[in-house]
Structure formats: structure tokens, C-alpha cells
Amino acid sequence: MAEPPVIFKRTKSKPSQRGRVATPDIDTAPTTGAEGDVDEAPSVLAAKLKKKTRAKTKSTLSFGGDEEEGDGEVFKLKKSNLSRKVALRNDLPGLTPVPPESNTAQRSTGPTYDAAYLNELKASTPMARPPMATENTISYDGDVSMDLDSAAQTSLLTPLNDSMQDGEAAIPSASSILAAKQKRERLRSTKASGGEDYISLSLTKRDDYSKGPHPESRLVREEDELGDADDEFAEYTSAQERIALGKKSRKVEAQKRREEMNEMIVDAEEEDEETREWEQAQLRRGGLQPEAAEPAPKPVYKPAPIPSVTPIPTMGAAMARLTQSMSELTMSHAEHSAAMSKLGEEQRLLEQREKEMREMIAKAEEKRSWFSAFREWVESVATFLDEKFPQLEKLEDDHIAIIKERADMIAQRRKAEDEDDLTLFFGTPPQLQPKPDEVDDLGRIVPSANPAASRADRTAARDARRLRRRAINQQQHKQREEEEGYSTDASLPPADADDYRAAMGKLMADAKEVMADVKAEEFRDPNLGLAKWFGEWRAKFDDIYRGAWGGLGMVSAWEFWVRLEILGWNPLERPRGLDSFNWYHALYKYSRPSTDDADKSDEEDEPELGPDGDLVSAMISTALIPRFCRLLESGALDAYSAADVRRLVDLAEQVEASVERQSLKFEMLLKAVYTVFAAAVAATETSLRPFLELNQPRFDPAAIPARRRFLTRRYKLLRNLLQWRRYAGDKYGLGALATRLVTSSMLPVAETGWEVGGEDIMRKVAQALPTELVPPALQSLLRST
């Protein structure tokens, strides 16, 4: 049985220090004779100890406090689990309890090391852990805490005591002690370094989480948490649910709820083998369902089968079987040979296909890299043209302005001379008569132009020009003296001519400045840039080049250099063949790429055109014809100048050699020339109309040469118009325009002086005009005379 608990008393005022109970000394113990050497009985010793303890009534406190008897509070001293285990082990039937008398005697007489005591101590010392539970004991459950006071755990100590009695005590060796010390040092150093001395089951460390504003505190406020878990547990908290208000939405919500209920019912009816096994394991672990041991199936005796009797094969059957096997092998060999040859052919085709694919990949990579570089170069050219084209267009506008100013000066002077001649034989109309002097607010006369003085100045200037032309003709040994009036005075005065040449010189200097800041040769010379890149494109990827109309694209890009080269060129003032320009030779050569067959042929033969066709024609249609039309309409063509008309015909023939006559671009050129002649005829009619309305002839000796000069200038205009009509045909009504000039401008003036020169001029007109263009009035006048 277990010892009764020891009872102590303490006072209510202050707890007294509890002293260690002294063991009764052998010297003070009463001994009687021979019995003094003999151990006293345990009951006697216990009585003495009890009396001695009760005899101590005074406090052992240093400050002298007295304890009151009878007022102390009684409490029990609870024993530890180890003492309970020892007491429990003493109560086990497998252990032999030690008599208390012998223990008391030994303690009273001192330590004893005899063989019986040592064997007893060795038997009571545990040297191994208790064995695991067997089938006869309760199964271990790690989820249930262990209770040493339970009856089931008490039954586990019986085999432990048996093993302790049978085994030997194990004394640890020096190496195991050293390993334990090293382990303790390692654990101590790990704890000192802040590391964890256990393997955490969490994937993250405690330091990975936010510690909030007070990391030293273990209290976590609700607002310091990372989240309120609304999103994480929204499926279970109905945070994402919405209240359906409409009829349609309520219907959809009800259908969704029914589907979820059906899914839950289906999930509940399904039986998962894993889940069922886990449930059975939990039931067995809780002891609610005993483990059913499945009995091993009993072996059933099966007798060995007795083979049937096999007859002995005959020679004929064996030969037939061998012949059939041989034929099957022969057929199989033939099939295998055919399959091998077929596989070999397929392998050869695959290798050829692989080679072709590799070549295609190499070509595709080459194409990609080339087009990438070409794209970068085209973008650089586009940037260059965006910067330079506005400068070029401004210079072209300046050239047009210079030509137009020169043409206006010549037209105004010619108009003034015509009015002077008309005034001599028709009289002065009211708008040309001198106006009275105008007086300003202060009474001063405002200076105004004097028509008489201006007319005298123009006559003197005309005589000076005539003398200068005669001197030039004599220096050039021209024997033929032209009749007065044929010179239409298309030349400028010396001062104006110098200004014109200075303006053209400045224009050409500005044209050179356009490319002054360009250092790259491929941008200065299109042969090194455009022709090179587009030529490589045509040579390497001809199909793509043709599909993208690469030739026309190159012409569009080359237009800038062409217009820059012809800037400042007036084809009627300085005649020059188109083939004398650099761009003409470059495009002509590009349009006819050289081949091996062409190199072997004679050099005299003209090379064949490439896939682009004649790019010279495309450039003339794109850049030159629009430029020529602007020049002609701005005054570059003088309708009274025979030299300009001859040069115009030559230029049109050169353009016609490259551009078809029926093309829209060529029609544009013809339309521009017609506009110039029509403007000249309209200007003559406008100048003549007020004089015909006045028609007050007077006697003036200068009237006869003045009339002849006027008719001669109109006759020269008619001849130039008819010359252009012979080349262009009756386009846009050139014949009607010639008849209109004779009827409205020449015939009324000739009738006023028919006998003094008018008849002779009109007969020349009739001879120059085609029969179908001679006006009926002129025919009747000529027949009547």
C-alpha cells in the first residue's frame, strides 16, 4: 500500500521556515545492553521521530516569532508523478517489497554495499523503454493524451518490470557521454544564435508575417491583421451574395440555388473509397468498431491435368508443315524486303525534304534580314525627303515667280506699244486720254503719268532696241532684214535683264545649298542609294518586287533628285535634250539590266527592257510634264515668239518619244499650250475693243506704219498658232482659235487701211490659213478686190 500523506501545520500570520527533519543520531538513540547493537524496530523509531517533532514548539525564525499551536492551517503535500510510479511499482505483483525494518536499520547504521542490496538496486533500475502495446492491450492513439493513472497504462508496467528483472543495467560509455555533451552545446549555440531547434510544419516563418506597430507585444489588434478574411472566406460567409430584386434575377437566383442543392445531394450520395477507408480507420481508432480479421482463404486441392495422348507425326505431315512454313517465311521475307525498300525511299524523300526545308529556312532568314535592313534604309530616305522636299518646293515657287514677273513685264510693254499704234490710226479712247491734274488738300498738284510723254519714251526705247538688233544681226552676218513688226520685243531692257540674271543666279545658288549639308554619298547620288537597294531587291526577290511595283516606288523616291536637277531650267529659253541629264542615263540603265546573254551579244544592240518597263517614261510622266505645264502657264512660253514655238515642238517630240500621245499626261501638256495661245488672243481682243468702239481715224503720216506693225504682230501670232496646230492637230479647237483671231482682231484693223497695206497682210493670212479655216468675210473681200 502507498504511504499516508505527511501533514504539516503553518500559522496564519506568517509562514515559518520549514527546516529539514533530522535523522535520529545513533549516538543519541537510547540503547540497553546488548540490544544497543541490534537494529530497533520500525515502530519504535517512528514513535521517537514523532515525539521529537511534536516537542519542537518554538519557531526557528531568526526574528523570534512565536507560533501558535492549534491555529495552523493544514495542507497536503502532493507527491510527484515519479513518486506515484514508484509506489505503483511497489504495489505490482511482480516486485518483492522490501521490509521497512531492514531499510530503517540500514539507514540508521549507514550505507550497505552487500550483494543482495546491489542486486535489488539493479533490478529496480529501469534500463529500457516499455514495450509497445500488443494485440491483448489497448491500441495506441497519438490523438489521445496519455494518462498514467489509468488502469490501462498501469497494466503496461508489468512487462516493463519483468524486463528490468531479467536485463542487465547499461552504463553509458565515454563516447556516448561526449556525443550527448556535443549535442547540448550544439543546441545551446542554436538557441543563442536565434535559430529554431525544431522542424516547423509551417511553410512560412514567423518573421515573414507583419508584426504590426508593436512587434515586441504578442497581442494583435484586429486592425493590425493582414486582412479581415472577407475575400478568403467569402464562399462561407455569403459576402459575395447579392439580393435579387427583379423578377428575372430572382428566377435565375432560384435556379442557381436548385442546381447547387442538386450538386450537394449528388456529392453526398457518392461514396469515395478513400473517405470510407478513413472513416473506418477513425472508428477502429476510437474503439467503436473492432478490427475484423479476414480469415485467409483455405487452399483448395487441384489435381494436375493429365495431358492427352499425342500421336506420333508422320513424314508427309512434317514435310507439308515445313513446306508451308518455308512458303510463309519466303512471303514474309519478300514483304519485309518491300517494306525496307519503301522505308529507304521514304527516308530519302524525308532527307531531301529536310534539305529543302533547311534551304527554305535559310532563304527566309536571309529575306527577313535583308528586308529589315531595307526597311531601315527606306525610313531614313523618308526622313530625308520630309526635310528636303519643302525646301525644293519653295525654290520651284521662286522660279515660277521670276518667270511670271518677266512675262508680265514683256506683256505690259507689248500692250502699251499696241495701244500706241492703235491710237495713231483709231484715235485716243476716253480711258487713255490725259486726265486733269488732281489737287490734294493743301492745293498741291498730285503728279500723274503723262500719256504723251510715256508714249514718246516707249517710242525712243523701241527705236533703240531696233538699232541694237540690227547691229547684232550685222555681227552675226545675217543678210535677211526682217520686216518691222516681226520683232515682238521679247527681250528685256539691259537693266531688267541684269536683274533677271541675278535672280536666276541666286536661285541656282540656293539649289546647291539644299544638298550642302548632306555628306552621305548614297543620299547625294541616287545611283549609289536608290539604284543599289532597288536593284538588289529586283535581283534577289523578283516575284515580290513585281508584285509590289518596286520600279514605280523607286521612281517616286527618285523624283526629288530629278526635280532638283532641272530646277531653274527653262526648256524654251535654254534648249537642252532630256537625254543630257544624269537622271535620264541612270533610269535608262536601270530599266535595262545587263544579263549574260546581253554581254555576249553585240554592243550595238540595245538591251531589252526589264520587268519594270521604261522607267524614263514613268519619270517624265510623273515629274517633268507637270513641271513643264506650270512653266508654260506662268509665262515661259511667249505666243509671239517663233523661237519659243520651235523649241516647244522639239520638247513635245522628245516627250512623245517616251510618253504615248493618247496618255492623259501628254494631253495635259497640249492643254497648257492651248491656254497660252487663247490668253494671247483674248488679250488682243480686250485691247482692240475700245478703239473699235471709238473708230475716229485721223490723218497722221505715222498711222500707216503703225497699222502695218499691229497687223504684222497678229500675223506672227497666227503663224505660231498654225505651226503648233500642225504638230498637235486640232486639239481643243486650235483651228477655231485661229479663225477667231483673224475675224475679231485682224480683219477690222485691215479694213480701215485696206489700200495702204491692209490688203497685202490679209492675202498673206489667207495663204497661211488652211482652206477650211479662212473666214467667209475675208474670202469675199479678197474676191472683190
Side-chain angles (χ1 to χ4, degrees), residues 309-421:
V309 178
T310 303
I312 299 174
T314 59
M315 181 62 72
M319 291 297 294
R321 187 172 64 256
L322 291 176
T323 302
Q324 184 179 1
S325 300
M326 189 64 183
S327 61
E328 291 178 356
L329 290 176
T330 302
M331 294 175 62
S332 177
H333 175 71
E335 293 177 356
H336 291 167
S337 299
M340 287 181 63
S341 61
K342 184 178 180 181
L343 291 175
E345 182 66 19
E346 290 180 357
Q347 183 179 3
R348 186 185 64 80
L349 293 176
L350 289 175
E351 291 177 354
Q352 182 179 359
R353 183 60 177 170
E354 180 182 3
K355 183 178 179 181
E356 293 176 358
M357 292 295 292
R358 291 183 183 277
E359 292 177 356
M360 290 174 60
I361 293 173
K363 290 180 180 179
E365 177 61 24
E366 180 184 1
K367 181 187 296 185
R368 186 202 63 79
S369 60
W370 189 89
F371 274 103
S372 177
F374 179 68
R375 180 179 181 180
E376 293 179 359
W377 183 82
V378 168
E379 290 178 354
S380 63
V381 171
T383 305
F384 170 79
L385 294 179
D386 290 342
E387 181 181 356
K388 296 298 181 181
F389 241 117
Q391 302 178 18
L392 176 62
E393 292 176 349
K394 182 178 180 301
L395 293 177
E396 289 179 345
D397 294 340
D398 294 343
H399 186 209
I400 294 297
I402 292 172
I403 291 177
K404 188 174 182 179
E405 184 179 359
R406 175 180 175 272
D408 292 342
M409 293 172 63
I410 294 175
Q412 290 294 334
R413 188 181 64 190
R414 186 178 293 120
K415 178 182 179 182
E417 292 178 355
D418 288 341
E419 289 178 353
D420 294 343
D421 293 338

Side-chain angles (χ1 to χ4, degrees), residues 536-705:
E536 289 183 3
W537 186 11
R538 181 177 60 184
K540 292 182 178 180
F541 315 105
D542 184 60
D543 52 345
I544 302 177
Y545 178 83
R546 294 185 182 185
W549 300 93
L552 296 180
M554 190 193 68
V555 168
S556 300
W558 208 314
E559 181 181 353
F560 169 78
W561 285 272
V562 174
R563 291 170 62 176
L564 182 63
E565 188 175 358
I566 66 174
L567 179 64
W569 175 54
N570 186 356
L572 306 182
E573 182 181 357
R574 293 183 293 114
R576 182 180 177 184
L578 296 179
D579 55 355
S580 62
F581 290 97
N582 295 329
W583 61 266
Y584 188 95
H585 290 285
L587 291 177
Y588 183 85
K589 184 178 179 181
Y590 182 85
S591 301
R592 295 163 176 82
S594 60
T595 57
D596 297 338
D597 297 337
D599 294 339
K600 295 178 182 179
S601 61
D602 297 336
E603 297 180 357
E604 297 179 358
D605 296 340
E606 183 179 359
E608 297 181 357
L609 286 173
D612 301 320
D614 190 5
L615 296 182
V616 175
S617 173
M619 182 60 70
I620 292 174
S621 302
T622 304
L624 266 68
I625 293 180
R627 179 65 178 171
F628 291 159
C629 293
R630 287 191 65 188
L631 290 174
L632 296 177
E633 293 174 354
S634 300
L637 173 62
D638 188 2
Y640 292 90
S641 176
D644 287 357
V645 175
R646 288 195 302 269
R647 293 166 184 170
L648 178 61
V649 172
D650 295 340
L651 179 64
E653 289 176 351
Q654 294 183 37
V655 173
E656 187 181 359
S658 300
V659 181
E660 295 181 0
R661 194 181 184 91
Q662 291 77 18
S663 64
L664 296 177
K665 295 292 184 178
F666 195 79
E667 295 287 341
M668 186 189 302
L669 180 62
L670 299 179
K671 178 68 174 178
V673 176
Y674 171 80
T675 304
V676 174
F677 281 107
V681 173
T684 301
E685 293 175 351
T686 303
S687 300
L688 185 59
R689 186 176 297 111
F691 293 95
L692 293 177
E693 292 175 357
L694 179 62
N695 196 11
Q696 295 178 359
R698 61 181 179 176
F699 177 76
D700 192 343
I704 296 175

Side-chain angles (χ1 to χ4, degrees), residues 73-121:
E73 184 180 4
V74 180
F75 69 93
K76 286 185 178 182
L77 179 64
K78 293 184 179 182
K79 295 185 178 181
S80 63
N81 292 334
L82 183 60
S83 62
R84 292 180 182 180
K85 290 179 183 180
V86 173
L88 184 62
R89 185 169 57 251
N90 292 334
D91 293 340
L92 292 177
L95 295 178
T96 304
V98 181
E101 293 82 358
S102 61
N103 294 337
T104 306
Q106 290 179 0
R107 282 196 301 269
S108 61
T109 58
T112 304
Y113 297 100
D114 55 354
Y117 180 76
L118 292 176
N119 291 334
E120 181 183 354
L121 181 62

